Amino acid sequence: MIPAQRQKYNQQFNPEKYQNFLNELGLGYPEIPFRVAETPIFVPRVLKEKLIAAGEEIIKLIKQPNFKALTDKAIPANWKVPNENEQPHFLTFDFGICKNEAGELSPMLIEMQGFPSLYGFQHHLAKTFKSSFGIDDSVNHLLNGFTEEKYIVLLKQVIIGQHHPAEVALMDVDAPNQKTAIDFFVTQKMLDIKILALADIKKIGKQLFYEENGKQIRLKRIYNRLIFDEVANNTEIFKNSFDPREELDIEWVTHPNWFYRISKYTMPFLNSEFVPETRFLNEIESLPADLENYVLKPLFSFAGMGVIIDVTPSDISRIQDPENWILQKKVNYEPAVQSPDGGVKAEIRMMYLWPDGGEPQLCINLARLSRGKMIGVRYNADFDWVGGTVGFMED
């Protein structure tokens, strides 16, 4: 997308250099179970500005006084967690890179979350790309004037807050063995906080504790990486630990309700050149004549599960709970990233941190490359020049 950067990168690329890069990336960490792409994305200033503008439009909706009222039905009744705060601490917006009617590269919103992403790993990934492939300072993976030092300071402010690091833990159902565990370990190295599986945490009264060197240490703040969808069919696991839906004396970063509020559910409320036409299925009176140009998505799923790409009227007639589905205009990705043997499709996730009492701040990004029908790993298993990566954006 920045021709000079792309040409320079591709000319010096070779499989040995890529393997050395992967070795450096994983040094001192558990094996990375997902595919890391052969290249970053070089994002020109004009496209970066569109990505920033698109994000600002979404944030404007989230900051509306009636946003919670608009999204109350987004939270499944059986997964509502008490003591919700007034804002998410994380915002992540996924944009497919497309071409607009003028033939210019332009972002189109695919997904959004009020939930943390790979805030530790993405910085580590970008630094390793830069050192391994000699990427120059005219492009940067950090945004909005952030330096490494400033970024880590804000990350600490958001995740640790006013507490001692020992009183804060990153938590997931089986944290050390998750696919994204490398992000957990990078984050631990950056912030000096604990990584705990759900089973490591015990409840005494309304307070939560973990054990270290035979001592009970009280948890005051949880950096929450647990997605309820992953445990929906196995709530027994809460019995030996704690149930997040109980009244607890704990601070959430971020509160679990925001995972649902800022999600596919939010998209029908957005009207923007950067957002594909999206409607709740139960509110559609007559189906579009060009149904083949739409996708059908369940509201309460993640990682692309349950999405129907080639929609037919019979697919829609079989839906028993249309209030839990959206019909969305297809987004046509432009194969804008030039690999040695053709164009590759790209998606860029703009990642914000929102400190307590502050404003959301765009600071870093994540990118994914795809040759398959969808962006996710499972759709690209047999290709190269695909997988997780990062955008280096023109200053």
Side-chain angles (χ1 to χ4, degrees), residues 43-45 47-49 51-52 123 139-148 150-151 154 348-352 361-366 390-395:
V43 180
R45 187 180 297 110
L47 179 57
K48 179 179 82 169
E49 288 169 356
L51 285 159
I52 291 169
H123 182 56
V139 289
N140 201 342
H141 68 290
L142 292 167
L143 297 143
N144 199 23
F146 273 93
T147 61
E148 178 178 53
K150 187 179 173 187
Y151 176 59
L154 183 60
I348 295 176
R349 174 176 295 173
M350 303 294 270
M351 296 162 56
Y352 301 73
Q361 297 185 51
L362 173 62
C363 47
I364 201 165
N365 76 92
L366 176 154
V390 66
F392 282 96
M393 305 201 184
E394 192 172 27
D395 285 335

Side-chain angles (χ1 to χ4, degrees), residues 58 91-96 108-115 259-268 270 274-276 278 297-305 307 326 328 331 333 347-350 368 374-375:
I58 301 166
L91 295 172
T92 65
F93 306 144
D94 291 353
F95 296 97
M108 287 295 281
L109 184 66
I110 304 298
E111 178 63 281
M112 54 197 295
Q113 289 184 333
F115 190 78
F259 175 81
Y260 296 105
R261 289 192 185 280
I262 299 172
S263 64
K264 291 188 286 286
Y265 190 95
T266 322
M267 292 182 70
L270 289 161
F274 305 119
V275 180
T278 307
K297 296 182 177 180
L299 288 173
F300 305 113
S301 74
F302 65 104
M305 299 297 287
V307 173
I326 54 172
Q328 186 177 82
V331 169
Y333 291 72
E347 196 169 278
I348 295 176
R349 174 176 295 173
M350 303 294 270
R368 290 181 287 189
M374 290 176 68
I375 285 283

Side-chain angles (χ1 to χ4, degrees), residues 210-217:
Y210 69 93
E211 188 174 309
E212 187 169 73
N213 300 324
K215 291 183 178 179
Q216 294 289 325
I217 298 174

